[in-house]
Amino acid sequence: MLFGFKRIVIGLAKYALLVYVLSRVEEVPFSFSNFWQWLVLTAYVGAIKLYVLLSGDIDIVIGVSALMGFKVSENFPKFPYMQTTLTKFWQNWQATIVNWLTAYVYFPLCRNRKHVYAKTMIIIMIIGWAHLFYYFKDFPSIEYIMYYTLWGVFLGGTLALSKIWGKKKAESKQIWQQKYPAIAKIIYSENYLTKAMRIFITFNIIAIGWLSPLYILLKQLI
């Protein structure tokens, strides 16, 4: 019961933060001249608002379920915005949905390892297209379809590229450790600074990616 009440209080506290603090931050429309304002006030704050809203929901659901004697799976096992790679981020973002897609879409598609990175991008694009069902009252317009398609292309593409980078880095690290172990120890050292840099880069990719930056750029060009 203590666990249940604790999660409900945490969820309500997140809603209070959302209503009384984050929702009062005025968003800045994108333009190249005010990019940094847009990045902080729209992308960063928007990313935090999204997490607070979704995680607050699941906190209350888990808390109420615990009081009723049921156990509900964690949707955010670890704080997603503090992950060092995009793979770890997606493992901790809406984990129940991502795990289902991994088990029933990704693994069946990737039994054949050919074009595995393209298939990785397709999984994220499917998540993007699923957002179109939020507009069930009206048939999704071409604009919404384009928005979420490019949303999936960006976030799925960056995830695929991060996997390629990780594989190349691991191969390079192994070679350097065999030939030049002392230098490899310096180049591939793990410390708080390198971890913080990876967290910062990952958060920026996700925070910007939520807003479908390719669609924004396309609109700017048109």
Side-chain angles (χ1 to χ4, degrees):
M1 290 185 67
L2 180 62
F3 171 79
F5 282 122
K6 178 182 176 182
R7 293 301 291 265
I8 292 172
V9 169
I10 291 173
L12 293 175
K14 288 179 179 179
Y15 276 120
L17 174 65
L18 180 65
V19 172
Y20 293 106
V21 180
L22 296 176
S23 62
R24 298 175 184 271
V25 178
E26 187 174 349
E27 293 185 357
V28 175
F30 177 84
S31 70
F32 292 107
S33 60
N34 63 359
F35 172 80
W36 297 109
Q37 287 181 307
W38 171 85
L39 180 65
V40 174
L41 299 178
T42 302
Y44 287 0
V45 174
I48 295 170
K49 286 194 320 189
L50 181 62
Y51 169 75
V52 169
L53 176 63
L54 296 178
S55 64
D57 284 342
I58 197 64
D59 282 330
I60 294 174
V61 169
I62 290 174
V64 172
S65 299
L67 293 179
M68 298 174 66
F70 298 100
K71 184 177 181 180
V72 177
S73 298
E74 294 284 351
N75 235 11
F76 302 92
K78 296 179 181 178
F79 186 52
Y81 293 145
M82 291 297 291
Q83 302 306 310
T84 55
T85 66
L86 291 174
T87 298
K88 290 181 180 179
F89 167 82
W90 286 108
Q91 289 171 348
N92 292 282
W93 181 268
Q94 297 281 47
T96 52
I97 298 173
V98 172
N99 289 342
W100 187 90
L101 286 171
T102 300
Y104 295 102
V105 180
Y106 180 76
F107 285 144
L109 280 175
C110 295
R111 285 173 184 166
N112 181 350
R113 299 296 294 176
K114 190 175 182 181
H115 307 305
V116 65
Y117 299 115
K119 293 172 182 176
T120 298
M121 186 171 71
I122 290 172
I123 298 299
I124 305 300
M125 291 178 69
I126 291 173
I127 296 175
W129 292 328
H131 288 74
L132 295 172
F133 290 101
Y134 295 155
Y135 309 99
F136 60 90
K137 292 183 179 179
D138 301 303
F139 188 79
S141 65
I142 296 297
E143 186 174 357
Y144 278 130
I145 294 172
M146 183 63 69
Y147 181 94
Y148 283 111
T149 298
L150 294 177
W151 182 96
V153 169
F154 179 84
L155 288 172
T158 52
L159 176 60
L161 288 173
S162 72
K163 288 181 176 293
I164 295 172
W165 168 258
K167 183 179 179 181
K168 296 294 184 183
K169 181 182 177 181
E171 293 173 352
S172 175
K173 181 179 179 180
Q174 187 176 13
I175 294 172
W176 278 82
Q177 284 178 333
Q178 291 175 351
K179 293 185 176 180
Y180 313 103
I183 299 176
K185 188 175 180 180
I186 297 173
I187 296 175
Y188 297 101
S189 63
E190 296 289 337
N191 53 59
Y192 290 113
L193 178 60
T194 56
K195 183 179 179 180
M197 288 177 61
R198 291 201 300 271
I199 291 172
F200 180 73
I201 293 170
T202 301
F203 173 70
N204 274 269
I205 292 172
I206 295 298
I208 294 172
W210 287 149
L211 301 175
S212 192
L214 297 179
Y215 177 80
I216 291 175
L217 292 175
L218 181 63
K219 293 284 288 185
Q220 291 288 316
L221 294 175
I222 295 176

